[in-house]
Amino acid sequence: MTDSIRFPANFTWGVATSAFQIEGAADADGKGPSIWDTFSRNPANIKDGTNGDVACDHYNRYREDVALIASLGVDAYRFSMAWSRVQPAGKGAWNEKGFDFYKRLLDELDARGIASHLTLYHWDLPQGLQIDGGWMSRDTAHRFADYAHEVARRFGDRLATIATHNEPWCTANLGYGNAQFAPGVADKKQAIQVSHHLLLSHGLAMQSMRATNTEADLGIVLNLWTADPATDSEADRKLAALEWANSNEWFLDPLFKKRYPELSLQAHGANAPDIQEGDFDIIAQPIDFLGVNYYRREVMSAEDPPRKPVGGIGFTDMGWEIYPQGLTELLVKMKDEYPNLPPVYITENGMAAVDVVEDGQVADNQRIEYVRTHLETMKAAMDHGVDVRGYFLWSLMDNFEWNSGYAKRFGIVYVDYATQQRIPKASALWYRDFLAAQQRQRQAA
Ligand code: IFM
């Protein structure tokens, strides 16, 4: 049973959210528009035709939400800052009212003894920078470094960690590769160039933040997955190797080996990115931690369709295969491939389910099982020597699930969007009890 697994006493337990998905208050107090405001206000882009204007109204309800976080007994809260709230145009003037909101949020978290883990960029680029070329422009990487510097300068002594990006794979491939996400571009060459600029911006931001002497640990968050061949055929195995290279090594190699994976470069051919001399030295700045978001694996097949869902123990409401052992496999493989891998946080893990309120309760037992089994496989990786320092459940509460709108529920707390009532699901109560048991073990040790 997971309850009896002993995690290290200083292990960090948390929950995670992101700004655009929960804050709402899209135009409040001088906030500028972001590409997700623009994108989601076109109902054709979002499956249920909704947008992020109100979301969970966290901007106005943050006190209540921090009390909710505290009631779970977590050590830490991972959240992101909306760049256009603190710098409306993405360059030039800072918006003090925007910074005040994050200061109040930090005050509230501090008062309850909850450590703050900040992500600088969770996909909501200021619209002004998009007009200037967005992530296709190298200049955006420099604007990002300025923003990172300012945040680290102001808040660096109050944050446990600062991550530059959340899931740059998504920004590049869903934002520029297949137009599912903002800014809605479908152009493979652009997607690959954008991924390079995102990595460059990460390195530049690491440099600018280090210059502030912040005490926060600095790093980046990647979404990673294992890729297995559907059969033992050579064709399937080759596809699985290419998937591993394109999704994981494409980001890990520049960070830890100052290069892109050869397999991907060959596959990209003329779509390979423009790289300037010195870029890899900038990208490969030492990082204090790597955030890993793990949800599923890919099973690759040379037959049609090329990605074969397997679903031995089921699928989530996103249609993602539930594959807990992939977390062990992923982390151990990373440790073997990257001897200089820094400490890891599982910065996201969780599932979307069709949750319903019955008699004031939500019996999301499948989510409990999902989290429980992933905690076990995370611990198995730790037992294999992977230095995992913390786990953040995605997500604290139901929220705006990007192009799925509010239809997909990832929260351990149910949000009734009509009333903004928060109802802890069975998984929230389970997580609370699990953490209390961990706490008892800490005290007994
Ligand atoms: O909701 C997202 C989050 O913003 C980034 N990681 C994956 C989650 C679930 O799709």
Side-chain angles (χ1 to χ4, degrees):
M1 266 308 285
T2 319
D3 283 5
S4 59
I5 300 181
R6 187 177 289 266
F7 286 90
N10 58 357
F11 195 81
T12 297
W13 295 103
V15 284
T17 63
S18 87
F20 189 79
Q21 293 178 273
I22 65 165
E23 283 180 3
D27 305 313
D29 295 333
K31 176 180 169 293
S34 79
I35 56 172
W36 268 98
D37 290 314
T38 308
F39 186 77
S40 67
R41 283 172 183 165
N42 176 352
N45 288 330
I46 310 297
K47 283 175 196 144
D48 64 1
T50 56
N51 61 42
D53 284 0
V54 177
C56 304
D57 195 31
H58 171 75
Y59 189 76
N60 296 308
R61 295 168 194 264
Y62 69 94
R63 280 200 184 88
E64 178 195 335
D65 290 337
V66 172
L68 194 58
I69 295 168
S71 75
L72 298 170
V74 294
D75 307 304
Y77 175 49
R78 174 176 178 247
F79 59 98
S80 78
M81 185 175 280
W83 184 351
S84 67
R85 202 178 281 294
V86 300
Q87 194 181 32
K91 58 185 178 184
W94 304 107
N95 178 27
E96 293 307 323
K97 285 189 173 170
F99 278 122
D100 279 352
F101 166 68
Y102 295 106
K103 185 182 165 302
R104 293 196 302 276
L105 176 61
L106 288 171
D107 289 346
E108 205 68 22
L109 289 161
D110 278 354
R112 292 180 179 272
I114 297 167
S116 297
H117 293 247
L118 180 76
T119 304
L120 290 169
Y121 187 80
H122 200 121
W123 308 350
D124 41 358
L125 187 77
Q127 183 64 32
L129 291 184
Q130 187 61 35
I131 291 163
D132 292 349
W135 288 111
M136 270 304 283
S137 164
R138 256 182 101 89
D139 193 54
T140 299
H142 292 278
R143 301 290 67 76
F144 180 67
D146 293 346
Y147 157 59
H149 179 271
E150 186 64 12
V151 175
R153 189 184 71 75
R154 290 183 184 237
F155 295 130
D157 58 342
R158 306 192 61 183
L159 297 166
T161 67
I162 306 177
T164 52
H165 284 279
N166 180 73
E167 303 184 350
W169 182 94
C170 293
T171 308
N173 291 289
L174 306 181
Y176 283 83
N178 63 15
Q180 284 182 12
F181 282 10
V185 177
D187 179 331
K188 186 144 197 227
K189 187 167 175 56
Q190 285 195 43
I192 294 166
Q193 188 62 51
V194 162
S195 66
H196 181 67
H197 288 160
L198 290 167
L199 282 161
L200 181 70
S201 76
H202 156 79
L204 291 168
M206 289 298 300
Q207 291 176 328
S208 72
M209 289 194 288
R210 293 279 190 223
T212 67
N213 293 322
T214 172
E215 284 165 22
D217 281 345
L218 308 180
I220 185 169
V221 172
L222 303 177
N223 54 319
L224 303 171
W225 53 81
T226 44
D228 289 329
T231 70
D232 205 29
S233 74
E234 198 189 334
D236 287 1
R237 281 190 282 117
K238 270 191 177 160
L239 278 177
L242 184 60
E243 176 69 13
W244 174 265
N246 285 348
S247 51
N248 301 338
E249 290 177 338
W250 187 260
F251 292 92
L252 293 167
D253 276 16
L255 290 169
F256 301 119
K257 294 184 175 171
K258 295 192 179 183
R259 64 170 197 215
Y260 283 115
E262 202 44 51
L263 212 54
S264 301
L265 286 175
Q266 276 170 20
H268 292 332
N271 287 337
D274 288 337
I275 303 166
Q276 293 188 9
E277 205 183 327
D279 281 1
F280 286 123
D281 288 331
I282 296 171
I283 293 169
Q285 299 298 304
I287 56 177
D288 303 316
F289 74 93
L290 176 71
V292 174
N293 294 353
Y294 176 80
Y295 288 94
R296 65 201 168 108
R297 71 164 166 175
E298 289 289 0
V299 176
M300 307 304 296
S301 166
E303 288 169 12
D304 210 21
R307 288 158 198 264
K308 264 207 157 105
V310 175
I313 53 171
F315 296 93
T316 73
D317 194 33
M318 298 295 280
W320 298 348
E321 183 194 2
I322 301 175
Y323 191 66
Q325 62 267 49
L327 183 53
T328 314
E329 291 162 12
L330 171 72
L331 293 171
V332 171
K333 188 164 172 176
M334 283 165 62
K335 174 179 164 285
D336 292 345
E337 261 193 45
Y338 302 95
N340 52 346
L341 192 72
V344 165
Y345 286 90
I346 304 303
T347 30
E348 286 183 27
N349 176 241
M351 69 172 280
V354 183
D355 296 318
V356 282
V357 184
E358 272 169 348
D359 298 330
Q361 295 179 346
V362 182
D364 58 337
N365 297 322
Q366 195 189 15
R367 182 175 288 108
I368 295 175
E369 199 49 18
Y370 182 101
V371 175
R372 193 184 66 73
T373 48
H374 283 80
L375 293 183
E376 285 175 359
T377 54
M378 173 179 74
K379 182 63 168 56
M382 294 165 73
D383 293 341
H384 277 89
V386 184
D387 184 3
V388 184
R389 300 281 174 95
Y391 175 90
F392 292 82
L393 212 165
W394 185 272
S395 178
L396 164 67
M397 58 185 161
D398 297 334
N399 55 50
F400 183 77
E401 179 54 25
W402 308 110
N403 64 337
S404 299
Y406 298 98
K408 302 292 176 196
R409 294 182 177 271
F410 272 90
I412 56 172
V413 172
Y414 185 93
V415 176
D416 177 340
Y417 294 108
T419 62
Q420 290 295 349
Q421 191 191 354
R422 276 78 160 133
I423 304 169
K425 302 178 191 176
S427 57
L429 308 180
W430 176 87
Y431 196 45
R432 179 199 64 192
D433 292 347
F434 165 78
L435 296 181
Q438 287 298 313
Q439 186 61 21
R440 282 195 296 277
Q441 283 186 11
R442 283 179 190 177
Q443 280 158 359

